[in-house]
Amino acid sequence: MISMKDIHNLDMVDMVTLGERGQVVIPQAMRERVGLKAGDKLMVVVKHGKFIGLLPPDCFRDMVEELTRQLDQLEGK
């Protein structure tokens, strides 16, 4: 669950509307802030059955690589 503390630590917050076909428009200021452009792919993730996030695949890949590196260190590899 996202707490009020988490909300205050967010860079940007905005409201969007889910269209009839399940489409969401990411506000222009947010797209510009993170460098998204038409045609970019995003991974959709769900946490705790409520929080929905969109991540560029390279961010997810970076997270997996960092976790793998940390596991290797813990295992002495």
Short mmCIF file of all heavy atoms in Angstrom, two decimals:
data_model
loop_
_atom_site.label_atom_id
_atom_site.label_comp_id
_atom_site.label_asym_id
_atom_site.label_seq_id
_atom_site.Cartn_x
_atom_site.Cartn_y
_atom_site.Cartn_z
N MET A 1 0.84 -1.18 0.00
CA MET A 1 0.00 0.00 0.00
C MET A 1 0.89 1.24 0.00
O MET A 1 1.92 1.28 0.64
CB MET A 1 -0.91 -0.02 1.23
CG MET A 1 -1.77 1.22 1.33
SD MET A 1 -3.04 1.09 2.57
CE MET A 1 -4.22 0.11 1.68
N ILE A 2 0.49 2.26 -0.71
CA ILE A 2 1.25 3.50 -0.77
C ILE A 2 0.79 4.39 0.39
O ILE A 2 -0.40 4.62 0.58
CB ILE A 2 1.02 4.22 -2.10
CG1 ILE A 2 1.53 3.36 -3.26
CG2 ILE A 2 1.70 5.57 -2.12
CD1 ILE A 2 1.28 3.95 -4.61
N SER A 3 1.76 4.86 1.16
CA SER A 3 1.45 5.72 2.29
C SER A 3 1.50 7.19 1.86
O SER A 3 2.00 7.52 0.79
CB SER A 3 2.44 5.48 3.42
OG SER A 3 3.72 5.96 3.05
N MET A 4 1.00 8.06 2.72
CA MET A 4 1.08 9.50 2.44
C MET A 4 2.54 9.95 2.34
O MET A 4 2.87 10.82 1.56
CB MET A 4 0.35 10.31 3.52
CG MET A 4 -1.16 10.21 3.42
SD MET A 4 -1.80 10.57 1.76
CE MET A 4 -1.42 12.31 1.60
N LYS A 5 3.43 9.31 3.11
CA LYS A 5 4.86 9.63 3.03
C LYS A 5 5.36 9.35 1.61
O LYS A 5 6.11 10.14 1.04
CB LYS A 5 5.63 8.79 4.05
CG LYS A 5 7.12 9.00 4.00
CD LYS A 5 7.81 8.06 4.97
CE LYS A 5 9.27 7.99 4.65
NZ LYS A 5 9.92 6.80 5.09
N ASP A 6 4.94 8.21 1.04
CA ASP A 6 5.35 7.88 -0.33
C ASP A 6 4.83 8.90 -1.33
O ASP A 6 5.53 9.30 -2.25
CB ASP A 6 4.84 6.49 -0.72
CG ASP A 6 5.47 5.38 0.10
OD1 ASP A 6 6.64 5.52 0.50
OD2 ASP A 6 4.78 4.37 0.35
N ILE A 7 3.59 9.35 -1.15
CA ILE A 7 3.00 10.34 -2.05
C ILE A 7 3.81 11.63 -2.04
O ILE A 7 4.08 12.22 -3.07
CB ILE A 7 1.53 10.63 -1.67
CG1 ILE A 7 0.66 9.39 -1.89
CG2 ILE A 7 0.98 11.82 -2.44
CD1 ILE A 7 0.50 8.95 -3.32
N HIS A 8 4.25 12.05 -0.87
CA HIS A 8 5.02 13.30 -0.76
C HIS A 8 6.41 13.17 -1.39
O HIS A 8 7.02 14.18 -1.71
CB HIS A 8 5.13 13.74 0.70
CG HIS A 8 3.82 14.17 1.28
ND1 HIS A 8 3.15 15.29 0.84
CD2 HIS A 8 3.05 13.62 2.23
CE1 HIS A 8 2.02 15.42 1.51
NE2 HIS A 8 1.93 14.42 2.36
N ASN A 9 6.90 11.95 -1.57
CA ASN A 9 8.22 11.74 -2.15
C ASN A 9 8.18 11.55 -3.67
O ASN A 9 9.21 11.33 -4.29
CB ASN A 9 8.91 10.54 -1.51
CG ASN A 9 9.34 10.83 -0.09
OD1 ASN A 9 9.70 11.96 0.24
ND2 ASN A 9 9.29 9.83 0.76
N LEU A 10 7.01 11.61 -4.27
CA LEU A 10 6.89 11.46 -5.71
C LEU A 10 7.32 12.74 -6.42
O LEU A 10 7.10 13.84 -5.93
CB LEU A 10 5.45 11.11 -6.10
CG LEU A 10 4.91 9.78 -5.57
CD1 LEU A 10 3.43 9.64 -5.92
CD2 LEU A 10 5.70 8.61 -6.11
N ASP A 11 7.93 12.58 -7.60
CA ASP A 11 8.35 13.74 -8.38
C ASP A 11 7.16 14.47 -9.00
O ASP A 11 7.12 15.68 -9.04
CB ASP A 11 9.30 13.33 -9.50
CG ASP A 11 10.67 12.93 -9.00
OD1 ASP A 11 11.04 13.36 -7.90
OD2 ASP A 11 11.35 12.20 -9.71
N MET A 12 6.21 13.70 -9.52
CA MET A 12 5.06 14.28 -10.20
C MET A 12 3.84 13.41 -9.91
O MET A 12 3.95 12.20 -9.82
CB MET A 12 5.27 14.33 -11.71
CG MET A 12 6.41 15.20 -12.18
SD MET A 12 6.58 15.20 -13.97
CE MET A 12 5.45 16.50 -14.42
N VAL A 13 2.70 14.05 -9.80
CA VAL A 13 1.42 13.34 -9.63
C VAL A 13 0.42 14.02 -10.55
O VAL A 13 0.38 15.24 -10.63
CB VAL A 13 0.93 13.41 -8.17
CG1 VAL A 13 -0.43 12.74 -8.03
CG2 VAL A 13 1.93 12.79 -7.22
N ASP A 14 -0.38 13.23 -11.25
CA ASP A 14 -1.41 13.78 -12.12
C ASP A 14 -2.54 12.77 -12.20
O ASP A 14 -2.41 11.64 -11.72
CB ASP A 14 -0.83 14.05 -13.52
CG ASP A 14 -1.59 15.15 -14.27
OD1 ASP A 14 -2.77 15.39 -13.93
OD2 ASP A 14 -1.02 15.74 -15.19
N MET A 15 -3.64 13.16 -12.78
CA MET A 15 -4.81 12.30 -12.92
C MET A 15 -4.99 11.96 -14.39
O MET A 15 -4.80 12.82 -15.27
CB MET A 15 -6.05 13.04 -12.41
CG MET A 15 -7.31 12.21 -12.38
SD MET A 15 -7.34 11.00 -11.05
CE MET A 15 -7.50 12.06 -9.64
N VAL A 16 -5.33 10.70 -14.69
CA VAL A 16 -5.63 10.27 -16.05
C VAL A 16 -6.96 9.53 -16.02
O VAL A 16 -7.44 9.13 -14.96
CB VAL A 16 -4.52 9.37 -16.65
CG1 VAL A 16 -3.21 10.11 -16.76
CG2 VAL A 16 -4.35 8.10 -15.85
N THR A 17 -7.56 9.34 -17.20
CA THR A 17 -8.83 8.63 -17.31
C THR A 17 -8.61 7.37 -18.14
O THR A 17 -7.98 7.43 -19.20
CB THR A 17 -9.88 9.53 -17.99
OG1 THR A 17 -10.05 10.71 -17.20
CG2 THR A 17 -11.21 8.82 -18.10
N LEU A 18 -9.14 6.26 -17.65
CA LEU A 18 -9.07 5.00 -18.38
C LEU A 18 -10.17 5.00 -19.44
O LEU A 18 -11.35 5.16 -19.12
CB LEU A 18 -9.26 3.82 -17.41
CG LEU A 18 -9.11 2.43 -17.99
CD1 LEU A 18 -7.68 2.21 -18.47
CD2 LEU A 18 -9.49 1.40 -16.96
N GLY A 19 -9.77 4.85 -20.70
CA GLY A 19 -10.74 4.84 -21.80
C GLY A 19 -11.47 3.51 -21.89
O GLY A 19 -11.12 2.53 -21.22
N GLU A 20 -12.49 3.47 -22.72
CA GLU A 20 -13.31 2.27 -22.89
C GLU A 20 -12.49 1.05 -23.31
O GLU A 20 -12.83 -0.07 -22.96
CB GLU A 20 -14.41 2.53 -23.91
CG GLU A 20 -15.49 3.47 -23.41
CD GLU A 20 -16.60 3.66 -24.42
OE1 GLU A 20 -16.79 2.79 -25.29
OE2 GLU A 20 -17.27 4.70 -24.34
N ARG A 21 -11.44 1.26 -24.06
CA ARG A 21 -10.59 0.15 -24.53
C ARG A 21 -9.41 -0.09 -23.63
O ARG A 21 -8.47 -0.79 -23.99
CB ARG A 21 -10.14 0.43 -25.96
CG ARG A 21 -11.33 0.45 -26.94
CD ARG A 21 -10.93 0.75 -28.36
NE ARG A 21 -9.72 0.05 -28.77
CZ ARG A 21 -8.96 0.41 -29.78
NH1 ARG A 21 -9.27 1.47 -30.49
NH2 ARG A 21 -7.88 -0.26 -30.08
N GLY A 22 -9.41 0.51 -22.43
CA GLY A 22 -8.33 0.31 -21.48
C GLY A 22 -7.12 1.19 -21.72
O GLY A 22 -6.06 0.98 -21.14
N GLN A 23 -7.26 2.19 -22.55
CA GLN A 23 -6.14 3.06 -22.87
C GLN A 23 -6.02 4.21 -21.87
O GLN A 23 -7.02 4.71 -21.37
CB GLN A 23 -6.29 3.62 -24.28
CG GLN A 23 -6.24 2.55 -25.34
CD GLN A 23 -6.61 3.07 -26.71
OE1 GLN A 23 -7.56 3.85 -26.85
NE2 GLN A 23 -5.86 2.67 -27.72
N VAL A 24 -4.77 4.58 -21.60
CA VAL A 24 -4.46 5.69 -20.71
C VAL A 24 -3.51 6.63 -21.45
O VAL A 24 -2.57 6.17 -22.09
CB VAL A 24 -3.77 5.19 -19.42
CG1 VAL A 24 -3.31 6.35 -18.56
CG2 VAL A 24 -4.71 4.28 -18.63
N VAL A 25 -3.76 7.92 -21.35
CA VAL A 25 -2.85 8.91 -21.93
C VAL A 25 -1.97 9.44 -20.82
O VAL A 25 -2.46 9.95 -19.81
CB VAL A 25 -3.64 10.06 -22.60
CG1 VAL A 25 -2.68 11.14 -23.09
CG2 VAL A 25 -4.49 9.53 -23.74
N ILE A 26 -0.66 9.30 -20.99
CA ILE A 26 0.30 9.83 -20.02
C ILE A 26 0.45 11.32 -20.30
O ILE A 26 0.75 11.71 -21.43
CB ILE A 26 1.65 9.10 -20.13
CG1 ILE A 26 1.47 7.61 -19.88
CG2 ILE A 26 2.66 9.71 -19.15
CD1 ILE A 26 2.69 6.77 -20.20
N PRO A 27 0.24 12.18 -19.30
CA PRO A 27 0.32 13.62 -19.52
C PRO A 27 1.66 14.03 -20.16
O PRO A 27 2.71 13.46 -19.87
CB PRO A 27 0.17 14.21 -18.12
CG PRO A 27 -0.63 13.18 -17.38
CD PRO A 27 -0.13 11.87 -17.91
N GLN A 28 1.59 15.03 -21.03
CA GLN A 28 2.76 15.48 -21.78
C GLN A 28 3.93 15.84 -20.86
O GLN A 28 5.08 15.47 -21.15
CB GLN A 28 2.40 16.69 -22.65
CG GLN A 28 3.56 17.19 -23.48
CD GLN A 28 3.18 18.36 -24.36
OE1 GLN A 28 2.02 18.76 -24.43
NE2 GLN A 28 4.16 18.90 -25.05
N ALA A 29 3.68 16.56 -19.78
CA ALA A 29 4.77 16.97 -18.89
C ALA A 29 5.50 15.75 -18.33
O ALA A 29 6.73 15.75 -18.20
CB ALA A 29 4.24 17.83 -17.75
N MET A 30 4.76 14.69 -18.04
CA MET A 30 5.39 13.47 -17.51
C MET A 30 6.18 12.75 -18.59
O MET A 30 7.27 12.26 -18.34
CB MET A 30 4.33 12.55 -16.90
CG MET A 30 3.76 13.08 -15.62
SD MET A 30 2.62 11.88 -14.91
CE MET A 30 2.37 12.65 -13.32
N ARG A 31 5.61 12.68 -19.80
CA ARG A 31 6.33 12.04 -20.90
C ARG A 31 7.64 12.77 -21.16
O ARG A 31 8.69 12.13 -21.36
CB ARG A 31 5.47 12.04 -22.18
CG ARG A 31 4.24 11.16 -22.09
CD ARG A 31 3.56 10.98 -23.45
NE ARG A 31 3.42 12.18 -24.23
CZ ARG A 31 2.32 12.94 -24.29
NH1 ARG A 31 1.26 12.63 -23.56
NH2 ARG A 31 2.28 14.01 -25.05
N GLU A 32 7.58 14.09 -21.18
CA GLU A 32 8.80 14.88 -21.41
C GLU A 32 9.80 14.68 -20.28
O GLU A 32 11.00 14.57 -20.52
CB GLU A 32 8.44 16.35 -21.56
CG GLU A 32 7.71 16.65 -22.86
CD GLU A 32 7.20 18.08 -22.96
OE1 GLU A 32 7.27 18.83 -21.96
OE2 GLU A 32 6.72 18.44 -24.05
N ARG A 33 9.31 14.64 -19.05
CA ARG A 33 10.19 14.50 -17.88
C ARG A 33 11.02 13.22 -17.93
O ARG A 33 12.19 13.20 -17.55
CB ARG A 33 9.33 14.54 -16.61
CG ARG A 33 10.04 14.28 -15.32
CD ARG A 33 10.62 15.59 -14.78
NE ARG A 33 11.31 15.39 -13.54
CZ ARG A 33 10.90 15.83 -12.37
NH1 ARG A 33 9.80 16.52 -12.28
NH2 ARG A 33 11.61 15.61 -11.30
N VAL A 34 10.40 12.13 -18.42
CA VAL A 34 11.12 10.85 -18.46
C VAL A 34 11.60 10.47 -19.85
O VAL A 34 12.18 9.41 -20.05
CB VAL A 34 10.27 9.70 -17.85
CG1 VAL A 34 9.95 9.98 -16.41
CG2 VAL A 34 8.99 9.48 -18.65
N GLY A 35 11.36 11.35 -20.83
CA GLY A 35 11.88 11.12 -22.19
C GLY A 35 11.12 10.09 -22.99
O GLY A 35 11.70 9.43 -23.85
N LEU A 36 9.82 9.95 -22.77
CA LEU A 36 9.02 9.01 -23.55
C LEU A 36 8.53 9.66 -24.82
O LEU A 36 8.23 10.86 -24.85
CB LEU A 36 7.80 8.55 -22.74
CG LEU A 36 8.06 7.65 -21.55
CD1 LEU A 36 6.75 7.39 -20.81
CD2 LEU A 36 8.69 6.34 -21.99
N LYS A 37 8.45 8.84 -25.88
CA LYS A 37 7.91 9.33 -27.14
C LYS A 37 7.00 8.27 -27.73
O LYS A 37 7.02 7.12 -27.30
CB LYS A 37 9.03 9.72 -28.10
CG LYS A 37 9.95 8.59 -28.45
CD LYS A 37 11.15 9.09 -29.24
CE LYS A 37 12.13 8.00 -29.58
NZ LYS A 37 12.55 7.11 -28.53
N ALA A 38 6.19 8.64 -28.70
CA ALA A 38 5.25 7.72 -29.34
C ALA A 38 6.00 6.48 -29.81
O ALA A 38 7.09 6.57 -30.38
CB ALA A 38 4.55 8.40 -30.50
N GLY A 39 5.42 5.31 -29.55
CA GLY A 39 6.01 4.05 -29.97
C GLY A 39 6.90 3.39 -28.93
O GLY A 39 7.26 2.22 -29.09
N ASP A 40 7.28 4.11 -27.87
CA ASP A 40 8.09 3.50 -26.81
C ASP A 40 7.30 2.40 -26.12
O ASP A 40 6.08 2.50 -25.95
CB ASP A 40 8.50 4.54 -25.75
CG ASP A 40 9.60 5.47 -26.24
OD1 ASP A 40 10.18 5.21 -27.32
OD2 ASP A 40 9.88 6.46 -25.54
N LYS A 41 7.98 1.35 -25.74
CA LYS A 41 7.36 0.24 -25.02
C LYS A 41 7.49 0.47 -23.51
O LYS A 41 8.51 0.98 -23.04
CB LYS A 41 8.05 -1.09 -25.36
CG LYS A 41 8.03 -1.45 -26.82
CD LYS A 41 6.67 -1.93 -27.22
CE LYS A 41 6.72 -2.45 -28.66
NZ LYS A 41 5.44 -2.55 -29.25
N LEU A 42 6.45 0.09 -22.77
CA LEU A 42 6.46 0.18 -21.31
C LEU A 42 5.99 -1.14 -20.73
O LEU A 42 5.08 -1.77 -21.27
CB LEU A 42 5.53 1.30 -20.83
CG LEU A 42 5.89 2.71 -21.27
CD1 LEU A 42 4.76 3.68 -20.92
CD2 LEU A 42 7.18 3.16 -20.61
N MET A 43 6.60 -1.55 -19.64
CA MET A 43 6.14 -2.73 -18.92
C MET A 43 5.11 -2.27 -17.89
O MET A 43 5.29 -1.24 -17.25
CB MET A 43 7.30 -3.42 -18.20
CG MET A 43 8.33 -3.98 -19.15
SD MET A 43 9.66 -4.81 -18.29
CE MET A 43 8.80 -6.25 -17.68
N VAL A 44 4.04 -3.03 -17.75
CA VAL A 44 3.01 -2.72 -16.76
C VAL A 44 3.22 -3.66 -15.59
O VAL A 44 3.30 -4.88 -15.78
CB VAL A 44 1.60 -2.92 -17.35
CG1 VAL A 44 0.53 -2.60 -16.32
CG2 VAL A 44 1.41 -2.06 -18.59
N VAL A 45 3.35 -3.09 -14.39
CA VAL A 45 3.54 -3.91 -13.19
C VAL A 45 2.45 -3.57 -12.18
O VAL A 45 1.95 -2.44 -12.15
CB VAL A 45 4.94 -3.68 -12.55
CG1 VAL A 45 6.04 -4.14 -13.48
CG2 VAL A 45 5.15 -2.22 -12.20
N VAL A 46 2.05 -4.57 -11.41
CA VAL A 46 1.04 -4.39 -10.37
C VAL A 46 1.65 -4.81 -9.04
O VAL A 46 2.32 -5.83 -8.96
CB VAL A 46 -0.21 -5.23 -10.67
CG1 VAL A 46 -1.22 -5.11 -9.54
CG2 VAL A 46 -0.84 -4.80 -11.98
N LYS A 47 1.43 -4.01 -8.01
CA LYS A 47 1.94 -4.32 -6.67
C LYS A 47 0.77 -4.29 -5.70
O LYS A 47 -0.04 -3.36 -5.71
CB LYS A 47 3.00 -3.29 -6.27
CG LYS A 47 3.55 -3.51 -4.90
CD LYS A 47 5.03 -3.38 -4.90
CE LYS A 47 5.56 -3.49 -3.49
NZ LYS A 47 6.38 -4.63 -3.31
N HIS A 48 0.70 -5.29 -4.85
CA HIS A 48 -0.34 -5.39 -3.83
C HIS A 48 -1.75 -5.36 -4.41
O HIS A 48 -2.69 -4.97 -3.73
CB HIS A 48 -0.20 -4.29 -2.77
CG HIS A 48 1.14 -4.26 -2.09
ND1 HIS A 48 1.63 -5.31 -1.35
CD2 HIS A 48 2.09 -3.31 -2.06
CE1 HIS A 48 2.83 -5.01 -0.89
NE2 HIS A 48 3.14 -3.80 -1.31
N GLY A 49 -1.90 -5.75 -5.65
CA GLY A 49 -3.22 -5.80 -6.26
C GLY A 49 -3.89 -4.45 -6.47
O GLY A 49 -5.04 -4.38 -6.87
N LYS A 50 -3.16 -3.36 -6.22
CA LYS A 50 -3.76 -2.03 -6.34
C LYS A 50 -2.89 -1.05 -7.12
O LYS A 50 -3.37 -0.28 -7.91
CB LYS A 50 -4.04 -1.44 -4.96
CG LYS A 50 -4.99 -2.25 -4.15
CD LYS A 50 -6.12 -1.40 -3.69
CE LYS A 50 -7.07 -2.23 -2.86
NZ LYS A 50 -8.41 -2.05 -3.23
N PHE A 51 -1.59 -1.05 -6.83
CA PHE A 51 -0.68 -0.09 -7.44
C PHE A 51 -0.32 -0.57 -8.84
O PHE A 51 0.15 -1.69 -9.01
CB PHE A 51 0.59 0.05 -6.59
CG PHE A 51 1.62 0.95 -7.21
CD1 PHE A 51 1.51 2.32 -7.11
CD2 PHE A 51 2.69 0.41 -7.89
CE1 PHE A 51 2.47 3.14 -7.68
CE2 PHE A 51 3.65 1.22 -8.47
CZ PHE A 51 3.53 2.59 -8.37
N ILE A 52 -0.53 0.27 -9.85
CA ILE A 52 -0.15 -0.05 -11.23
C ILE A 52 0.95 0.91 -11.63
O ILE A 52 0.81 2.13 -11.48
CB ILE A 52 -1.35 0.10 -12.19
CG1 ILE A 52 -2.47 -0.86 -11.80
CG2 ILE A 52 -0.90 -0.11 -13.63
CD1 ILE A 52 -3.74 -0.65 -12.58
N GLY A 53 2.06 0.36 -12.12
CA GLY A 53 3.17 1.19 -12.56
C GLY A 53 3.55 0.88 -13.99
O GLY A 53 3.31 -0.21 -14.49
N LEU A 54 4.13 1.84 -14.64
CA LEU A 54 4.64 1.68 -16.01
C LEU A 54 6.14 1.91 -15.97
O LEU A 54 6.60 2.94 -15.48
CB LEU A 54 3.99 2.70 -16.95
CG LEU A 54 2.46 2.65 -17.05
CD1 LEU A 54 1.94 3.84 -17.84
CD2 LEU A 54 2.02 1.34 -17.69
N LEU A 55 6.89 0.95 -16.49
CA LEU A 55 8.35 1.05 -16.48
C LEU A 55 8.91 0.80 -17.87
O LEU A 55 8.52 -0.16 -18.53
CB LEU A 55 8.96 -0.02 -15.57
CG LEU A 55 8.68 0.04 -14.09
CD1 LEU A 55 9.15 -1.24 -13.43
CD2 LEU A 55 9.41 1.23 -13.50
N PRO A 56 9.85 1.62 -18.31
CA PRO A 56 10.56 1.28 -19.54
C PRO A 56 11.33 -0.02 -19.29
O PRO A 56 11.87 -0.24 -18.20
CB PRO A 56 11.52 2.46 -19.74
CG PRO A 56 10.95 3.58 -18.94
CD PRO A 56 10.27 2.93 -17.77
N PRO A 57 11.39 -0.91 -20.29
CA PRO A 57 12.06 -2.20 -20.09
C PRO A 57 13.51 -2.09 -19.61
O PRO A 57 13.95 -2.90 -18.82
CB PRO A 57 12.00 -2.85 -21.48
CG PRO A 57 10.82 -2.22 -22.14
CD PRO A 57 10.77 -0.81 -21.60
N ASP A 58 14.23 -1.05 -20.04
CA ASP A 58 15.63 -0.93 -19.60
C ASP A 58 15.72 -0.67 -18.10
O ASP A 58 16.66 -1.12 -17.45
CB ASP A 58 16.39 0.12 -20.40
CG ASP A 58 15.79 1.51 -20.30
OD1 ASP A 58 14.58 1.64 -20.10
OD2 ASP A 58 16.56 2.49 -20.45
N CYS A 59 14.75 0.02 -17.52
CA CYS A 59 14.74 0.23 -16.06
C CYS A 59 14.54 -1.09 -15.34
O CYS A 59 15.19 -1.38 -14.33
CB CYS A 59 13.63 1.20 -15.66
SG CYS A 59 13.95 2.89 -16.15
N PHE A 60 13.64 -1.91 -15.86
CA PHE A 60 13.39 -3.22 -15.25
C PHE A 60 14.64 -4.10 -15.38
O PHE A 60 15.05 -4.76 -14.44
CB PHE A 60 12.18 -3.88 -15.91
CG PHE A 60 11.63 -5.02 -15.13
CD1 PHE A 60 10.82 -4.79 -14.02
CD2 PHE A 60 11.91 -6.33 -15.49
CE1 PHE A 60 10.31 -5.85 -13.29
CE2 PHE A 60 11.41 -7.39 -14.77
CZ PHE A 60 10.60 -7.15 -13.66
N ARG A 61 15.27 -4.06 -16.57
CA ARG A 61 16.48 -4.84 -16.80
C ARG A 61 17.59 -4.40 -15.84
O ARG A 61 18.28 -5.22 -15.24
CB ARG A 61 16.95 -4.69 -18.24
CG ARG A 61 18.21 -5.49 -18.57
CD ARG A 61 18.62 -5.38 -20.03
NE ARG A 61 17.66 -6.06 -20.87
CZ ARG A 61 16.81 -5.46 -21.71
NH1 ARG A 61 16.80 -4.16 -21.83
NH2 ARG A 61 15.98 -6.16 -22.45
N ASP A 62 17.76 -3.08 -15.66
CA ASP A 62 18.77 -2.56 -14.74
C ASP A 62 18.52 -3.06 -13.32
O ASP A 62 19.45 -3.43 -12.60
CB ASP A 62 18.77 -1.03 -14.74
CG ASP A 62 19.29 -0.44 -16.04
OD1 ASP A 62 19.87 -1.19 -16.87
OD2 ASP A 62 19.08 0.78 -16.24
N MET A 63 17.25 -3.08 -12.89
CA MET A 63 16.91 -3.55 -11.56
C MET A 63 17.26 -5.03 -11.40
O MET A 63 17.87 -5.44 -10.41
CB MET A 63 15.43 -3.34 -11.27
CG MET A 63 15.01 -3.77 -9.88
SD MET A 63 13.26 -3.51 -9.57
CE MET A 63 12.52 -4.67 -10.71
N VAL A 64 16.93 -5.84 -12.39
CA VAL A 64 17.24 -7.27 -12.35
C VAL A 64 18.75 -7.49 -12.32
O VAL A 64 19.26 -8.31 -11.54
CB VAL A 64 16.59 -8.02 -13.54
CG1 VAL A 64 17.11 -9.44 -13.65
CG2 VAL A 64 15.07 -8.01 -13.39
N GLU A 65 19.49 -6.75 -13.13
CA GLU A 65 20.95 -6.88 -13.15
C GLU A 65 21.57 -6.49 -11.81
O GLU A 65 22.48 -7.16 -11.32
CB GLU A 65 21.55 -6.05 -14.28
CG GLU A 65 21.26 -6.63 -15.66
CD GLU A 65 21.68 -5.73 -16.81
OE1 GLU A 65 22.15 -4.59 -16.56
OE2 GLU A 65 21.54 -6.16 -17.96
N GLU A 66 21.05 -5.43 -11.18
CA GLU A 66 21.56 -5.00 -9.88
C GLU A 66 21.25 -6.05 -8.81
O GLU A 66 22.11 -6.38 -7.98
CB GLU A 66 20.96 -3.65 -9.48
CG GLU A 66 21.35 -3.17 -8.10
CD GLU A 66 22.86 -2.95 -7.91
OE1 GLU A 66 23.60 -2.82 -8.91
OE2 GLU A 66 23.30 -2.91 -6.75
N LEU A 67 20.05 -6.60 -8.83
CA LEU A 67 19.70 -7.64 -7.86
C LEU A 67 20.56 -8.89 -8.06
O LEU A 67 21.02 -9.51 -7.10
CB LEU A 67 18.22 -7.99 -7.96
CG LEU A 67 17.26 -6.91 -7.48
CD1 LEU A 67 15.82 -7.29 -7.83
CD2 LEU A 67 17.41 -6.68 -5.99
N THR A 68 20.81 -9.25 -9.31
CA THR A 68 21.67 -10.39 -9.61
C THR A 68 23.09 -10.15 -9.10
O THR A 68 23.71 -11.03 -8.49
CB THR A 68 21.69 -10.67 -11.13
OG1 THR A 68 20.36 -10.93 -11.56
CG2 THR A 68 22.59 -11.83 -11.47
N ARG A 69 23.60 -8.93 -9.31
CA ARG A 69 24.93 -8.58 -8.83
C ARG A 69 25.00 -8.69 -7.31
O ARG A 69 25.94 -9.25 -6.75
CB ARG A 69 25.29 -7.15 -9.27
CG ARG A 69 26.73 -6.75 -8.96
CD ARG A 69 26.99 -5.28 -9.27
NE ARG A 69 26.22 -4.38 -8.43
CZ ARG A 69 26.47 -4.15 -7.13
NH1 ARG A 69 27.46 -4.76 -6.53
NH2 ARG A 69 25.73 -3.32 -6.44
N GLN A 70 23.99 -8.18 -6.63
CA GLN A 70 23.97 -8.24 -5.16
C GLN A 70 23.89 -9.68 -4.66
O GLN A 70 24.56 -10.05 -3.69
CB GLN A 70 22.82 -7.40 -4.61
CG GLN A 70 23.04 -5.91 -4.77
CD GLN A 70 21.90 -5.09 -4.22
OE1 GLN A 70 21.14 -5.53 -3.38
NE2 GLN A 70 21.78 -3.86 -4.71
N LEU A 71 23.08 -10.50 -5.34
CA LEU A 71 22.99 -11.92 -4.96
C LEU A 71 24.33 -12.63 -5.16
O LEU A 71 24.76 -13.43 -4.32
CB LEU A 71 21.91 -12.63 -5.75
CG LEU A 71 20.47 -12.38 -5.31
CD1 LEU A 71 19.49 -12.94 -6.34
CD2 LEU A 71 20.22 -12.96 -3.94
N ASP A 72 25.00 -12.33 -6.27
CA ASP A 72 26.32 -12.91 -6.53
C ASP A 72 27.30 -12.53 -5.42
O ASP A 72 28.09 -13.38 -4.97
CB ASP A 72 26.86 -12.46 -7.89
CG ASP A 72 26.15 -13.13 -9.05
OD1 ASP A 72 25.41 -14.11 -8.83
OD2 ASP A 72 26.32 -12.66 -10.19
N GLN A 73 27.27 -11.28 -4.98
CA GLN A 73 28.16 -10.85 -3.89
C GLN A 73 27.83 -11.60 -2.59
O GLN A 73 28.75 -12.03 -1.88
CB GLN A 73 28.03 -9.34 -3.66
CG GLN A 73 28.71 -8.51 -4.70
CD GLN A 73 28.59 -7.02 -4.41
OE1 GLN A 73 27.74 -6.58 -3.63
NE2 GLN A 73 29.42 -6.22 -5.06
N LEU A 74 26.57 -11.75 -2.29
CA LEU A 74 26.18 -12.46 -1.08
C LEU A 74 26.62 -13.92 -1.11
O LEU A 74 26.94 -14.49 -0.09
CB LEU A 74 24.66 -12.37 -0.87
CG LEU A 74 24.14 -11.01 -0.46
CD1 LEU A 74 22.61 -11.01 -0.48
CD2 LEU A 74 24.64 -10.64 0.92
N GLU A 75 26.58 -14.51 -2.31
CA GLU A 75 26.96 -15.91 -2.46
C GLU A 75 28.46 -16.09 -2.68
O GLU A 75 28.94 -17.20 -2.84
CB GLU A 75 26.18 -16.52 -3.62
CG GLU A 75 24.68 -16.59 -3.37
CD GLU A 75 23.87 -17.00 -4.58
OE1 GLU A 75 24.42 -17.02 -5.70
OE2 GLU A 75 22.69 -17.28 -4.40
N GLY A 76 29.20 -14.99 -2.72
CA GLY A 76 30.65 -15.06 -2.87
C GLY A 76 31.11 -15.39 -4.27
O GLY A 76 32.19 -15.94 -4.46
N LYS A 77 30.36 -15.05 -5.27
CA LYS A 77 30.74 -15.33 -6.66
C LYS A 77 31.54 -14.19 -7.23
O LYS A 77 31.46 -13.07 -6.91
CB LYS A 77 29.48 -15.56 -7.52
CG LYS A 77 28.76 -16.81 -7.13
CD LYS A 77 27.57 -17.01 -8.05
CE LYS A 77 26.83 -18.29 -7.69
NZ LYS A 77 25.68 -18.52 -8.53
#
